[in-house]
Amino acid sequence: MRIVVTGGAGFLGSHLCDKLLHEGHEVICIDNLITGTVANIEHHDSNEKFRFINQDVTEYLYISGNIDYVFHFASPASPIDYLKYPIPTLKVGALGTHKTLGLAKDKKASFFLTSTSEVYGDPLVNPQPESYWGNVNPIGPRGVYDEAKRFAEALTMAYNRYHGVNTHIIRIFNTYGPRMRKNDGRAVPNFITQALNGEDLTIYGKGDQTRSFCYISDLIDGIYRLAMSDINTPVNIGNPSEISIKECAETIIRLTNSKSKLTFKDLPVDDPKVRRPDITLAKEKLGWNPAVMLEQGLHTTIDWFKSS
Ligand code: UDP
């Protein structure tokens, strides 16, 4: 297939490009590099099946020739990034999704939207099944990301129902692995960087809030299975193994043999108290189950942070 990947120079997008090229597809990667980096894709420089276009996907997209699939991965995705770029975050989720859906419709291509567990907001139900409508503060600082992704889901379903575009929606839960930026601001890269530098690990709040961390290779496997499936409604992909943020920080201190301690800071506004995916749908319909346990994935990620 000839495939467009927006956000292809980012953490998730670049791993997806690797997978698609490995499966023998041709990849056109589009990224404006506000949070992505060419370092994530430069290993494809001499690959004739790979092309990079530096463009903001909220602008009109012109791609010559046929396209079989459009994967829309472009968006700031770390809370500090969408606080720094609130309007680009809203625009890429809304206008960028419109442009990429328009491209898919025009080319009679399939479409894949990366949505997020953030559509569940600060959930009142744990674990979260796809049928849960969420508890989102539309005007809070995280609203720029959450509402953009909720709009993107609505637009994707409308293109599916009204224009007959073959669409897929993934709701991604916290994912980690090589190629996360050291200063990305999210818990895992922050904790690893701090532990390796012998600095105290910054716990926001008491650290009793929970997350469920999925390793990148498991996520990419789930993405590929969903992309090739006939499911048009949203599907959760994430690791249901839930831990507190404090426990996550302590695990990283132990795995890095660090002498760092914990330091406690204010909890960001609207920070979800719990998060854990219900993955029954992915298990039953895609035969997907995460294979990488947290400590195993953290080892690989820590090694990558040490060597990069
Ligand atoms: N967090 C923390 N210290 C950090 C970074 C994050 O305690 O240095 C907390 C954050 O407040 C949240 C959790 O870790 O409760 C996960 O944050 P992250 O930014 O990774 O993603 P989120 O799940 O909030 O989108």
Side-chain angles (χ1 to χ4, degrees), residues 142 174 186-187 190-191 202 204 209 211 245 271 275:
R142 300 175 84 103
N174 296 66
R186 283 180 278 195
N190 265 12
F191 294 161
T202 50
Y204 303 157
Q209 69 273 35
R211 293 295 186 272
I245 289 303
D271 197 284
R275 184 180 288 153

Side-chain angles (χ1 to χ4, degrees), residues 2-306:
R2 192 157 180 259
I3 299 176
V4 167
V5 179
T6 77
F11 164 48
L12 301 184
S14 66
H15 283 284
L16 177 68
C17 290
D18 292 355
K19 167 75 174 173
L20 296 174
L21 290 165
H22 181 75
E23 295 291 334
H25 304 297
E26 189 179 334
V27 172
I28 301 164
C29 162
I30 309 179
D31 204 301
N32 66 353
L33 303 176
I34 68 165
T35 55
T37 164
V38 286
N40 288 339
I41 49 171
E42 62 193 1
H43 54 290
H44 299 308
D45 270 356
S46 58
N47 188 340
E48 284 178 0
K49 288 189 161 182
F50 182 79
R51 188 175 143 210
F52 171 61
I53 302 173
N54 187 336
Q55 196 194 313
D56 181 339
V57 296
T58 65
E59 306 292 338
Y60 185 82
L61 294 169
Y62 175 77
I63 312 274
S64 60
N66 70 300
I67 297 290
D68 302 294
Y69 219 123
V70 177
F71 286 80
H72 183 34
F73 275 53
S75 178
S78 163
I80 62 160
D81 287 333
Y82 50 76
L83 295 184
K84 190 166 161 199
Y85 304 110
I87 295 167
T89 300
L90 280 159
K91 284 176 71 179
V92 76
L95 308 181
T97 304
H98 188 220
K99 290 286 181 288
T100 48
L101 276 165
L103 178 69
K105 172 171 152 274
D106 189 46
K107 301 285 186 181
K108 298 184 173 48
S110 295
F111 181 83
F112 190 99
L113 174 71
T114 47
S115 186
T116 166
S117 55
E118 282 281 327
V119 301
Y120 302 123
D122 188 1
L124 306 176
V125 169
N126 196 40
Q128 296 84 52
E130 290 85 352
S131 55
Y132 179 50
W133 289 358
N135 177 39
V136 172
N137 174 5
I139 58 164
R142 300 175 84 103
V144 295
Y145 185 63
D146 304 9
E147 294 297 358
K149 290 294 189 181
R150 289 169 70 97
F151 175 86
E153 287 197 9
L155 194 62
T156 301
M157 290 310 298
Y159 267 69
N160 176 266
R161 294 189 183 116
Y162 186 71
H163 289 308
V165 177
N166 178 32
T167 60
H168 303 281
I169 300 173
I170 186 175
R171 289 184 181 151
I172 297 174
F173 285 66
N174 296 66
T175 302
Y176 68 98
R179 298 191 194 151
M180 289 189 102
R181 285 153 33 230
K182 290 181 180 172
N183 59 351
D184 157 302
R186 283 180 278 195
V188 170
N190 265 12
F191 294 161
I192 294 178
T193 305
Q194 290 160 344
L196 293 177
N197 291 341
E199 296 159 6
D200 289 348
L201 277 63
T202 50
I203 304 286
Y204 303 157
K206 292 188 190 132
D208 54 0
Q209 69 273 35
T210 65
R211 293 295 186 272
S212 310
F213 293 101
C214 183
Y215 189 64
I216 182 69
S217 58
D218 281 335
L219 178 85
I220 296 295
D221 178 37
I223 287 171
Y224 200 74
R225 284 172 191 245
L226 176 58
M228 300 303 150
S229 80
D230 57 5
I231 308 176
N232 300 126
T233 55
V235 178
N236 289 338
I237 297 284
N239 192 320
S241 164
E242 181 180 10
I243 63 164
S244 74
I245 289 303
K246 188 160 173 259
E247 197 184 338
C248 174
E250 286 164 349
T251 305
I252 289 172
I253 289 178
R254 179 165 51 77
L255 295 180
T256 50
N257 292 316
S258 174
K259 295 197 171 24
S260 298
K261 303 271 183 279
L262 305 182
T263 180
F264 293 84
K265 308 245 173 194
D266 289 345
L267 192 65
V269 176
D270 296 335
D271 197 284
K273 286 177 258 324
V274 291
R275 184 180 288 153
R276 176 183 175 192
D278 179 330
I279 58 166
T280 310
L281 188 62
K283 273 188 187 169
E284 287 179 358
K285 299 277 184 177
L286 305 176
W288 179 83
N289 218 350
V292 181
M293 303 317 297
L294 183 63
E295 293 207 7
Q296 189 189 347
L298 283 176
H299 265 302
T300 317
T301 311
I302 290 164
D303 285 347
W304 186 84
F305 271 72
K306 277 184 187 163

